[in-house]
Amino acid sequence: MSERAQHHQVLVLGAGIAGVAATHFLKENGVTDVVILEASHRIGGRINTVEFGKTSTGDKALVELGANWIHGRAHNPVYHRALESGLLEPLVLLDRMDGYYYTEEGRCLSKELGEKLWRQFNAFEKETGIYFDQNIETSSTMAEYFTERLNDFIAQFSADDRSDLQLMANTMLNYLSFHIGDNLKFISLQYDGSYEDIPGGEVKIPKGFLEVVKTFTTDFDTDTVKFGTTVTNIDWDQSKQGLHPVKVSCSLVGGEEKTYTCDHLIVTCSLGVLKKAVKDVTLFRPQLPVDKQKSISRLGFGKVNKIFLYYEKPFWKPGCASVKLAWSSKYSDVDEKKEWYKRIFSFDEVMDNPSVLVAWISTSAAHHMEQLPEAEVSKTCTAILRQFLNNPDVPEPTSISRSTWCCNPLTLGSYSYINMDSTPADFNTIADPLFSKDGKPIVQFAGEATHPRWNSTTHGALDSARREADRLTKFFTNQKV
């Protein structure tokens, strides 16, 4: 074995919330020889809080390029972690459809009518769970289901109201695409109910989501996280025979190669990275078991982004900048490349950042947006705001910032979902560890795409981290008996 190889009891691939939390839980349970290999130069993964804009007092303000809020309070481990750490003062709940709907003709639609439709839309969302809960077979997509249900509801109104309601329905379908992560025509109605909603509303984090991640690093040594370390190969062939440790080959910044070995490896990289590894026949030697490869390939991985617009002189009144875009094009008819901007469903003011608007965009349109020049994105957003607000004086933003999760080689997408080819069982298959012949877990998997009830969420990632840390702790305890 190479003299340069460093051996550790546990290696963790990735410093997102799953990676740092798994490391923390292991250290908390007395497993101290744990090192994280992180390709970037920061912790957080798809949680990325950055400075952009300014507060009302002129101080630097924050935006969330990735995870934006906590989904539910009741038994949400992220919520309780943030609460115990004093990160939720004051408590700020998200109102998804706050603001007004505007048309392409610059007409502001009835807020009362929009609220009626939104209440019914929420009821339809809750009803989708019946197919999974009662094992009712359906081959419908979420696009088909919502289009049909919304049309039936809208048909009850007058002709004038029906026209406006249909426009607002397009806004809500674009919102749902962002929430789930992709075009609704790809998403299975059959298994929508497998995701468990946690009661208590959506909670914003005034101090930034990254602060939640940092709470897990207080017991880290200075060299616990090896930044700028890209894992290029995981050789677990001899490990499964019980002969040698897992060998992890890495590439460092500047081109230097480095090798680590470990008794146990916890992989927390995104589903997008795992998909590429399966497709390119890279990363794992030997290849992952066939059933795990198939589950990785089958599951959907979303495309979601945000565009932040900073204005030195905001053109709106503070607290009054939520513009819902009621596009006239039918949801199913949008060309997501040529008309990428029609997948933006809203421009909203950012919490504690009164000079910044955020535009929410999803589907392949979000991927296409990443590849456009920044100036084009800025001009397009300005043209949309001028058109929908019927205000030619809306200025161009002073600067913009945008997320690029689809093109980022460390993520290759946003978050997982069940598409028409997959089932909830695929999350469990991905989560299954690789064992040696004598039953030792040598390669484990954590992250949101390994959680069958809470996939796509930070609390799913956190819960999976505890699951894998507890698995190893139990193994070590049994070894001592």
Side-chain angles (χ1 to χ4, degrees):
M1 189 172 293
S2 170
E3 292 182 359
R4 293 170 53 200
Q6 290 185 15
H7 183 81
H8 296 280
Q9 188 175 19
V10 183
L11 287 176
V12 177
L13 198 171
I17 190 169
V20 298
T23 302
H24 166 76
F25 293 141
L26 286 169
K27 287 178 176 290
E28 196 174 51
N29 290 332
V31 183
T32 58
D33 186 15
V34 188
V35 165
I36 301 175
L37 307 178
E38 169 57 44
S40 75
H41 291 276
R42 64 176 183 85
I43 62 170
R46 283 166 280 167
I47 295 172
N48 190 10
T49 308
V50 300
E51 291 182 347
F52 185 75
K54 58 185 180 182
T55 66
S56 56
T57 59
D59 296 328
K60 291 181 179 179
L62 302 174
V63 296
E64 303 285 4
L65 290 176
N68 210 87
W69 48 72
I70 301 170
H71 297 273
R73 289 184 281 174
H75 50 278
N76 187 320
V78 174
Y79 170 77
H80 290 289
R81 184 81 184 187
L83 184 66
E84 293 164 1
S85 302
L87 300 177
L88 300 180
E89 300 169 3
L91 181 66
V92 182
L93 296 179
L94 170 72
D95 183 351
R96 293 182 184 275
M97 282 296 159
D98 183 33
Y100 290 87
Y101 297 83
Y102 293 84
T103 70
E104 292 176 56
E105 294 76 30
R107 185 166 56 93
C108 183
L109 300 178
S110 164
K111 190 174 181 65
E112 181 182 359
L113 202 60
E115 289 174 348
K116 287 182 180 179
L117 186 63
W118 179 238
R119 284 194 295 271
Q120 192 60 47
F121 186 86
N122 283 325
F124 291 154
E125 270 197 286
K126 293 177 182 177
E127 288 175 9
T128 60
I130 192 173
Y131 294 92
F132 177 77
D133 294 340
Q134 299 185 19
N135 197 27
I136 301 172
E137 291 190 11
T138 176
S139 59
S140 293
T141 66
M142 292 287 277
E144 293 167 338
Y145 172 82
F146 275 94
T147 299
E148 180 180 348
R149 296 306 305 274
L150 286 168
N151 286 343
D152 288 345
F153 177 73
I154 291 171
Q156 304 172 31
F157 291 79
S158 68
D160 288 343
D161 284 348
R162 285 200 299 268
S163 176
D164 287 353
L165 285 165
Q166 195 61 63
L167 296 176
M168 289 187 279
N170 290 335
T171 308
M172 294 176 193
L173 291 172
N174 272 339
Y175 147 75
L176 189 59
S177 289
F178 186 94
H179 179 56
I180 299 179
D182 212 337
N183 193 303
L184 300 179
K185 70 181 181 181
F186 299 140
I187 298 169
S188 167
L189 173 61
Q190 178 79 62
Y191 298 112
D192 186 63
S194 65
Y195 174 86
E196 180 199 345
D197 282 309
I198 298 178
E202 318 287 355
V203 183
K204 297 184 180 181
I205 308 173
K207 296 178 174 63
F209 217 135
L210 189 59
E211 293 303 311
V212 180
V213 182
K214 289 179 180 178
T215 67
F216 294 103
T217 66
T218 55
D219 55 354
F220 285 13
D221 298 325
T222 55
D223 59 349
T224 294
V225 185
K226 306 292 185 182
F227 292 109
T229 303
T230 301
V231 174
T232 56
N233 185 259
I234 297 168
D235 188 342
W236 59 286
D237 189 32
Q238 293 298 306
S239 304
K240 70 179 181 178
Q241 308 301 327
L243 301 176
H244 297 288
V246 178
K247 180 180 177 182
V248 181
S249 301
C250 305
S251 176
L252 309 184
V253 175
E256 180 185 351
E257 301 295 323
K258 191 174 183 65
T259 301
Y260 290 89
T261 61
C262 63
D263 300 313
H264 309 270
L265 173 68
I266 302 177
V267 176
T268 73
C269 59
S270 77
L271 178 61
V273 172
L274 289 176
K275 281 179 174 291
K276 186 177 188 302
V278 169
K279 182 180 178 181
D280 296 350
V281 195
T282 60
L283 195 58
F284 295 96
R285 187 194 309 160
Q287 291 302 297
L288 295 173
V290 172
D291 60 340
K292 193 179 289 288
Q293 291 187 56
K294 288 181 177 179
S295 289
I296 290 169
S297 299
R298 276 195 297 255
L299 275 171
F301 198 53
K303 295 175 281 291
V304 164
N305 275 310
K306 304 173 198 171
I307 306 165
F308 295 95
L309 310 172
Y310 168 70
Y311 297 86
E312 187 66 36
K313 295 182 179 180
F315 61 89
W316 63 91
K317 294 180 181 179
C320 301
S322 183
V323 181
K324 307 304 177 191
L325 306 182
W327 294 100
S328 59
S329 301
K330 289 184 178 179
Y331 176 86
S332 59
D333 293 341
V334 172
D335 184 326
E336 293 181 346
K337 185 173 182 180
K338 293 180 180 179
E339 301 175 310
W340 62 269
Y341 46 87
K342 290 188 176 181
R343 285 295 182 234
I344 298 174
F345 76 87
S346 183
F347 288 88
D348 295 312
E349 193 173 318
V350 178
M351 178 180 61
D352 296 330
N353 203 340
S355 297
V356 171
L357 297 181
V358 56
W360 316 83
I361 184 170
S362 62
T363 76
S364 59
H367 189 185
H368 180 69
M369 181 277 300
E370 294 181 21
Q371 303 167 73
L372 297 174
E374 189 174 279
E376 182 177 343
V377 175
S378 176
K379 287 183 179 296
T380 300
C381 288
T382 302
I384 291 171
L385 287 167
R386 288 173 179 172
Q387 178 182 359
F388 279 77
L389 293 175
N390 193 24
N391 181 2
D393 295 326
V394 170
E396 287 220 21
T398 308
S399 59
I400 79 168
S401 179
R402 54 180 166 169
S403 57
T404 55
W405 297 112
C406 301
C407 293
N408 185 336
L410 303 183
T411 53
L412 298 175
S414 52
Y415 38 79
S416 63
Y417 65 89
I418 300 175
N419 59 20
M420 299 303 292
D421 298 322
S422 56
T423 74
D426 288 312
F427 295 117
N428 289 321
T429 301
I430 296 174
D432 288 340
L434 305 177
F435 293 96
S436 65
K437 280 189 172 182
D438 56 0
K440 179 174 75 172
I442 51 177
V443 182
Q444 297 165 245
F445 297 85
E448 55 87 10
T450 72
H451 205 293
R453 291 183 297 122
W454 294 340
N455 66 286
S456 81
T457 66
T458 54
H459 57 272
L462 177 55
D463 197 55
S464 74
R466 183 174 288 281
R467 178 193 70 211
E468 296 309 315
D470 287 349
R471 189 194 306 274
L472 265 189
T473 302
K474 183 178 180 180
F475 173 78
F476 294 144
T477 300
N478 291 338
Q479 290 292 102
K480 295 176 182 178
V481 176

